[in-house]
Amino acid sequence: MDARPLLFWVRWGGVAVCLVLGVMVQIDDSVAARRWLIGVSLIHVLAFLRVTRQFPPGPRSPTAWLALQLAVSLPLDSSIWIVNALSIPLAMPRETRRRWLIASLVLGVAGFALFLWLRLRSVQMEKLPLLDLAVALGVGYAEMVLWTLIAYFAAGLIVKMDADKRELAGLNAELMSSRAMLAESSRMAERLDIARELHDSLGHHLTTLNLELEIAQHCSPDDRDEQVRKAQFLARLLLADLRDTVTSWRRELNSGLPEALHSLSAGVSHTKVHVKIDPDMPALAPPHAHALLRCAQEAVTNALRHGGASEIWIEAVAAPGEVEVRVRDNGVGCARISPGNGLTGIRTRAQEQGGSAAFESPAAGGFLLSVRIPQTGDAA
Amino acid sequence: MIRLLVVEDETLFRVGLQKLLSLHEEFEIIGEAADGEEAVLAVQELRPDAVIMDVHLPRCSGIVALERLRELGVQTPVILLSTFDEEDSFLKGMRAGASAFLRKDVPL
């Protein structure tokens, strides 16, 4: 939950409580006392608003305003100390919060005593039993302390929630940038591999071919045929190099999905996962391979979580112009398939890559997912 | 007659280069080497007038071999060859004391 809307309600709720308390306690007072107390209440509200103005707290704590807020609380209703306890975690740095809480509780005693004196000064004290008065004072003060602590910790929780959220946002940003950096470094490594491959095999043979042609240009007509034959041999060698290099790249690109499916099966414990990959599996464009992998992951998760399967079969099949990944399990299946978030996600992923997804739950039990994605040849 | 030592690890290129240079009467190929360490020994032993050496060699690169030769006080002119334009290798080679840095496809 977001801490900012909570903070809004705490702040303006606090103002409302202050005003209600201010009006409530002043009903029985004389006109002069009421005017004086209204003034003090308004100063308290102003100080409370000023103290809680900046969130999260800035480098300069509103120490003077908080001191004023506590000071003007003395003649007001004792419940005002609960509002004061709210403002401490919202405005003060962590290390000074406890000191302010203690100060607030100590001042609360004085405030509570002052409040009672103001209320009871007209009452003839000798008519009140002393023990009853002491118990009433103790219970009243304990109640105030309890509510003050609840308010203090509740506000502290809001502050912590906000700090956690900000930290999480920072970590998330860090993670995103690391992921982007990792992807970029992986792309760079691939480019470097291609450059090295071009340099090591094709570059050398092309240079030698050029050299043989240069020799043919300079040598006698009798030797020229021999040179041309050599150049032709080198051209064939070059073609073979190129073929080998492209085949090796295709194989490397293709290795992504099968490896990932095998890793997926290795990561599942207590359930046997069988993986079968078509040996003629063509090279897949990375987004296609990624989509197929995510669909298989989702299907395996569903089989474990909802189906209670003891065995899962993953099969990657190459069909003309498309690639199909089938995930089958021996779980309980379901009488009626209603695509929830998981199955909807699978269908969306497949459709985003121009493919389709089909689900089936045979009467005998189990569940079958089939995802087909066209082969565009982007990878090759 | 300029006596040359050819240092190249790719056999096909090494043989072709020797043949191309042999077509010119002013050059005599007195030896060949397939790696940097072999090249250092061959230069000390054969005392060629000039060395034509690939930058990328196994065991010890052409630049390191050139540095060793200069450390040993051998001032034989060395022409470094490379398949590609490599600025870094060019600067290192020239700093090590190469007389020239040529691409392998340069016409003779």
Side-chain angles (χ1 to χ4, degrees):
Chain A
M1 190 180 178
D2 198 347
R4 300 303 164 102
L6 263 178
L7 178 75
F8 173 85
W9 289 111
V10 164
R11 196 161 180 241
W12 293 103
V15 170
V17 169
C18 294
L19 292 173
V20 168
L21 287 174
V23 171
M24 268 175 60
V25 297
Q26 288 150 24
I27 289 168
D28 300 333
D29 286 318
S30 64
V31 176
R34 219 179 294 158
R35 277 186 194 153
W36 183 77
L37 284 171
I38 285 173
V40 173
S41 282
L42 287 176
I43 293 170
H44 181 267
V45 169
L46 185 75
F48 174 73
L49 281 173
R50 185 64 185 72
V51 164
T52 55
R53 194 176 67 165
Q54 195 180 357
F55 187 81
R60 287 188 64 188
S61 310
T63 313
W65 285 102
L66 185 58
L68 175 70
Q69 185 190 334
L70 297 185
V72 296
S73 302
L74 286 168
L76 298 176
D77 187 287
S78 60
S79 303
I80 212 81
W81 294 96
I82 298 168
V83 178
N84 292 343
L86 274 177
S87 55
I88 295 170
L90 298 180
M92 303 311 285
R94 197 186 183 84
E95 54 276 11
T96 61
R97 275 181 217 159
R98 285 220 178 130
R99 282 201 293 265
W100 281 100
L101 176 69
I102 293 165
S104 171
L105 289 172
V106 171
L107 278 170
V109 181
F112 193 55
L114 183 66
F115 176 75
L116 284 177
W117 179 73
L118 286 170
R119 303 286 120 192
L120 303 175
R121 62 187 162 172
S122 52
V123 181
Q124 288 177 325
M125 296 297 282
E126 61 272 14
K127 288 182 181 171
L128 281 174
L130 201 60
L131 186 65
D132 287 358
L133 188 65
V135 169
L137 267 173
V139 170
Y141 183 67
E143 195 187 347
M144 190 204 90
V145 169
L146 180 72
W147 284 109
T148 300
L149 289 175
I150 289 171
Y152 175 81
F153 286 114
L157 203 64
I158 294 173
V159 173
K160 192 171 181 315
M161 270 168 61
D162 187 71
D164 287 350
K165 198 186 162 203
R166 272 181 287 129
E167 195 186 335
L168 200 65
L171 286 173
N172 192 43
E174 207 175 292
L175 192 70
M176 294 298 278
S177 69
S178 302
R179 207 169 69 170
M181 212 161 72
L182 205 64
E184 183 56 30
S185 87
S186 160
R187 272 197 294 275
M188 290 295 284
E190 276 170 25
R191 281 180 211 153
L192 205 67
D193 277 350
I194 293 170
R196 195 176 295 130
E197 198 71 37
L198 290 172
H199 178 276
D200 290 352
S201 60
L202 303 178
H204 283 308
H205 285 146
L206 266 173
T207 317
T208 314
L209 174 65
N210 184 61
L211 185 77
E212 293 299 340
L213 291 171
E214 175 99 15
I215 296 169
Q217 215 175 3
H218 291 91
C219 68
S220 66
D222 297 340
D223 292 338
R224 203 159 287 157
D225 279 353
E226 175 62 23
Q227 279 309 121
V228 170
R229 263 195 298 279
K230 273 191 179 174
Q232 205 172 22
F233 166 74
L234 279 166
R236 281 202 196 100
L237 211 60
L238 257 169
L239 204 60
D241 272 351
L242 191 65
R243 213 174 281 132
D244 284 352
T245 307
V246 171
T247 309
S248 139
W249 287 344
R250 276 171 186 263
R251 206 174 293 133
E252 275 172 34
L253 282 165
N254 197 22
S255 69
L257 182 65
E259 272 178 16
L261 290 176
H262 281 295
S263 308
L264 175 63
S265 76
V268 179
S269 53
H270 307 304
T271 299
K272 205 167 183 186
V273 182
H274 310 270
V275 179
K276 192 177 165 192
I277 309 285
D278 193 332
D280 296 326
M281 176 66 71
L284 293 174
H288 289 184
H290 186 256
L292 286 169
L293 175 67
R294 287 277 174 260
C295 292
Q297 281 175 332
E298 188 66 42
V300 169
T301 308
N302 284 346
L304 297 172
R305 192 182 292 163
H306 307 301
S310 61
E311 277 192 86
I312 300 170
W313 292 264
I314 303 174
E315 200 175 352
V317 187
E322 66 177 15
V323 171
E324 184 187 2
V325 167
R326 283 196 284 257
V327 182
R328 188 164 59 85
D329 68 70
N330 66 348
V332 293
C334 52
R336 204 172 127 261
I337 299 171
S338 52
N341 281 342
L343 298 185
T344 309
I346 289 175
R347 186 163 279 155
T348 308
R349 275 185 196 282
Q351 285 169 349
E352 275 171 0
Q353 304 303 324
S356 61
F359 318 106
E360 193 189 323
S361 184
F367 196 87
L368 173 69
L369 160 79
S370 161
V371 181
R372 291 166 185 266
I373 284 183
Q375 190 196 336
T376 56
D378 289 348
Chain B
M1 184 76 83
I2 302 166
R3 297 161 68 248
L4 294 173
L5 173 76
V6 174
V7 187
E8 167 64 55
D9 58 325
E10 290 286 325
T11 314
L12 283 172
F13 188 81
R14 189 171 68 238
V15 173
L17 185 60
Q18 288 183 51
K19 187 164 184 183
L20 180 64
L21 292 168
S22 313
L23 294 173
H24 298 265
E25 286 177 357
E26 61 269 34
F27 298 130
E28 183 196 355
I29 312 297
I30 59 158
E32 60 174 40
D35 64 61
E37 285 183 11
E38 214 180 295
V40 175
L41 293 173
V43 171
Q44 288 174 291
E45 192 185 325
L46 303 170
R47 295 282 165 192
D49 296 325
V51 179
I52 297 178
M53 182 156 61
D54 189 10
V55 170
H56 301 287
L57 292 169
R59 290 170 73 191
C60 135
S61 77
I63 293 166
V64 174
L66 173 58
E67 284 169 349
R68 283 199 198 154
L69 286 173
R70 297 294 181 255
E71 279 165 20
L72 291 166
V74 179
Q75 295 305 321
T76 309
V78 173
I79 296 167
L80 288 174
L81 297 179
S82 172
T83 308
F84 299 97
D85 287 322
E86 296 164 17
E87 201 179 331
D88 190 45
S89 297
F90 168 76
L91 291 171
K92 280 183 186 165
M94 297 312 279
R95 238 179 259 135
S99 304
F101 192 101
L102 301 176
R103 253 193 4 219
K104 284 181 179 176
D105 59 344
V106 67
L108 198 72

